């Protein structure tokens, strides 16, 4: 395994402990200007996010109304009643984003898909990188003020639905994740830089509790007056 990835996994709780759990649940509060661009409402109400750790599957509750949730897998996005009855669903959901740009309006299933693939990526980081089909390499370090961050470039397998297939993850001297760079392919491929703050620990696992995603400028730096998505994470449980 890549030397940097091995150290990062150990700093976040260890691969053996990760493999002993099946899912992670967390309370999330989301905001930012991206949702308004897509014509969808985004309130500050807390929601409960569930991510399965060894398959790409996730769900958020409530969604739309109190007795509904989402259910995301790579080949299907659905809005369901809490008993599993489908309210709306879309097979091969990525195809529905063909031709989309940053301002292309979304329907509720589009937003549910985005939430599902994004939060799976975030909450499965960095341990998903040790799954079959992932490839990683260390690239040139990044100088952030007086700090030097090590950069892990991750090549996602085609079977995984995520922002884009090649993404960069920046780790500080304590091997905490500080930044995540990607392109949002389902919204015209605009470049994003996501910054992480305030680590939390749950059941022996460590992860950032605040995420702030900005558009990324040609100098590779986040444009801080263009906050696209904010996510606050709390009440985390691995089981």
């Amino acid at each position: 395994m890549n030397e940097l990835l091995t150290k990062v996994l150990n700093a976040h709780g260890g691969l053996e402990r990760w493999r002993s759990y099946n899912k992670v649940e967390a309370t999330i509060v989301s905001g930012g200007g991206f949702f308004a661009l897509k014509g969808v409402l985004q309130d500050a109400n807390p929601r409960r996010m569930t991510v399965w750790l060894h398959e790409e599957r996730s769900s958020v509750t409530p969604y739309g109304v109190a007795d509904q949730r989402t259910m995301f897998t790579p080949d299907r996005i659905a809005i369901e009643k809490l008993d599993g009855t489908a309210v709306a669903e879309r097979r091969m959901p990525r195809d529905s984003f063909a031709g989309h740009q940053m301002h292309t309006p979304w329907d509720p299933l589009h937003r549910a898909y985005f939430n599902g693939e994004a939060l799976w990526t975030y909450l499965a980081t960095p341990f998903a990188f040790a799954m079959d089909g992932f490839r990683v390499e260390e690239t040139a370090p990044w100088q952030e003020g007086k700090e030097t961050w090590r950069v892990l470039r991750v090549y996602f397998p085609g079977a995984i639905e995520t922002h884009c297939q090649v993404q960069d993850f920046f780790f500080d001297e304590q091997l905490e994740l500080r930044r995540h760079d990607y392109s949002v392919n389902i919204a015209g491929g605009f470049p994003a830089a996501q910054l992480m703050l305030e680590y939390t620990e749950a059941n022996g696992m460590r992860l950032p509790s605040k995420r702030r995603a900005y558009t990324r400028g040609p100098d590779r730096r986040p444009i801080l007056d263009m906050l696209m998505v904010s996510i606050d994470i709390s009440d985390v449980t691995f089981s």
Side-chain angles (χ1 to χ4, degrees), residues 101-229:
Q101 300 301 314
M102 186 182 288
H103 294 82
T104 305
W106 277 355
D107 63 25
L109 286 170
H110 286 128
R111 183 174 63 165
Y113 169 94
F114 175 73
N115 181 85
E117 58 93 350
L119 268 295
W120 186 87
T121 299
Y122 305 158
L123 292 177
T125 294
F127 293 92
F129 310 156
M131 293 170 63
D132 290 343
F134 282 82
R135 183 167 63 89
V136 303
E137 64 182 14
E138 186 170 1
T139 63
W142 175 263
Q143 197 67 32
E144 184 69 24
K146 296 182 179 180
E147 299 183 26
T148 300
W149 295 350
R150 297 178 69 178
V151 182
L152 194 67
R153 179 159 292 169
V154 179
Y155 299 84
F156 286 69
I160 295 293
E161 293 295 318
T162 185
H163 295 315
C164 61
Q165 296 310 117
V166 182
Q167 304 179 29
D168 288 339
F169 297 81
F170 300 64
F171 297 91
D172 66 16
E173 294 178 357
Q174 288 73 46
L175 300 173
E176 292 187 347
L177 181 63
R178 300 293 300 277
R179 177 173 157 179
H180 173 197
D181 283 9
Y182 49 89
S183 298
V184 186
N185 285 348
I186 61 172
F190 74 86
Q194 186 174 140
L195 306 182
M196 289 73 176
L197 302 164
E198 298 182 21
Y199 260 64
T200 188
E201 183 170 334
N203 308 107
M205 310 304 297
R206 301 184 67 249
L207 69 160
S209 65
K210 296 185 185 298
R211 292 173 170 267
R212 300 292 184 266
Y214 304 88
T215 53
R216 190 172 75 244
D219 61 354
R220 293 184 65 197
R221 296 190 176 276
I223 302 173
L224 297 179
D225 60 354
M226 295 184 68
L227 176 63
M228 301 299 281
V229 176

Side-chain angles (χ1 to χ4, degrees), residues 23-26 48-52 57-61 123:
K23 63 184 179 180
V24 56
E25 297 175 86
R48 197 67 177 165
M49 189 81 206
T50 303
V51 161
W52 282 258
R57 179 182 172 199
S58 61
S59 177
V60 66
T61 307
L123 292 177

